[in-house]
Amino acid sequence: WDTKLSAPAGLGGSTAPVAEVKLARTPEEREKIELLSNYYAIITSLEYLERAFMGDIATDKYAAACSKLLTQYRVAAEALGPEANLDSFVATYGLQCPLALKRIKSGVDATVEHGGASAEDLGSQSQRILETATSFVTCLDMFAMGAFSVDEMTPRLTEVLTGLNAIASLPPTFEGKVKIKEWLSRLRAMPASANLSEADTRQLQFDVTNAYQALHATLGIKAKGK
């Protein structure tokens, strides 16, 4: 007896054969099917969330839900191992989820990637700058403490990028945004438990320091401490 992982309404449409998943007969097979089902559900949930964000969902609710789903995705992918190859999985099970694929590969929610949070939500310009500078200092302090793992650096860099996107006077091409976004995309593709190499750590520290200095130079304010 076989069963299928079938796409929810609106996410199917692929003409390629959809892989069948055999009914579990052992505890190990049941665990594997559960992991595959969770992985599948996370991807489809992200697709629906991204579609909702193009509608009228509140920005803060979207950001919270997306951040949670991206974290769940990384945990599920790490648990599945090689079978979590995203493009292969989507093709194998006939999913049509371009928005989810883009979000997963980006590694951050759309408000972090593109900005767009309202001034009312973020507070005054000076408060945003202060919070962003604090995020930079916290991130740089992580290097001094020897915290070089993916799960330690990713939230700190996310805070920095969120802060940079919250400062309306900074353009999308601001070098700090570009560099931090590149690092986040890279870290999101790595296992949470992985540690950066010595060369990567030095480069990341260099890029974060330069972004912090560029922020102060661009805004015409005096850097403190770093």
Side-chain angles (χ1 to χ4, degrees):
W1 185 20
D2 292 337
T3 185
K4 291 183 179 180
L5 291 176
S6 56
L11 298 188
S14 173
T15 58
V18 178
E20 294 186 351
V21 180
K22 292 183 178 181
L23 195 64
R25 296 176 180 174
T26 66
E28 291 76 15
E29 289 178 348
R30 281 194 294 273
E31 182 179 4
K32 180 180 178 181
I33 290 176
E34 184 177 350
L35 288 172
L36 286 169
S37 298
N38 288 339
Y39 190 67
Y40 187 96
I42 291 167
I43 295 171
T44 55
S45 295
L46 267 171
E47 179 68 19
Y48 283 128
L49 181 63
E50 291 299 303
R51 293 184 186 186
F53 185 56
M54 294 190 295
D56 58 0
I57 187 175
T59 299
D60 57 342
K61 291 183 178 179
Y62 160 79
C66 190
S67 178
K68 181 179 180 179
L69 283 169
L70 287 173
T71 299
Q72 290 174 332
Y73 171 83
R74 295 184 69 227
V75 172
E78 192 167 351
L80 272 174
E83 290 190 64
N85 182 289
L86 184 59
D87 293 325
S88 296
F89 184 89
V90 168
T92 298
Y93 294 105
L95 277 170
Q96 296 294 311
C97 49
L99 299 179
L101 291 178
K102 180 179 179 182
R103 186 57 47 223
I104 290 169
K105 291 176 180 179
S106 168
V108 294
D109 70 71
T111 65
V112 173
E113 184 177 10
H114 303 295
S118 67
E120 181 180 354
D121 291 336
L122 294 170
S124 67
Q125 177 83 351
S126 60
Q127 181 64 25
R128 283 176 260 170
I129 294 172
L130 175 61
E131 291 173 353
T132 304
T134 300
S135 295
F136 265 111
V137 172
T138 301
C139 190
L140 290 168
D141 285 342
M142 297 286 285
F143 293 107
M145 294 186 294
F148 307 133
S149 66
V150 171
D151 58 352
E152 290 172 317
M153 294 306 304
T154 299
R156 302 287 79 81
L157 290 175
T158 300
E159 289 177 2
V160 169
L161 184 57
T162 300
L164 291 173
N165 281 330
I167 301 174
S169 58
L170 294 178
T173 55
F174 174 67
E175 63 177 301
K177 290 185 182 182
V178 174
K179 284 294 185 182
I180 300 300
K181 191 183 297 184
E182 288 175 354
W183 273 107
L184 276 172
S185 295
R186 182 173 177 180
L187 292 177
R188 294 285 186 182
M190 299 170 63
S193 58
N195 287 314
L196 294 175
S197 67
E198 181 179 353
D200 284 341
T201 299
R202 291 183 64 181
Q203 186 62 51
L204 175 56
Q205 184 173 10
F206 177 80
D207 289 340
V208 171
T209 300
N210 280 352
Y212 183 51
Q213 293 172 345
L215 172 67
H216 284 280
T218 301
L219 298 178
I221 54 180
K222 184 178 180 180
K224 293 183 179 180
K226 299 288 178 183

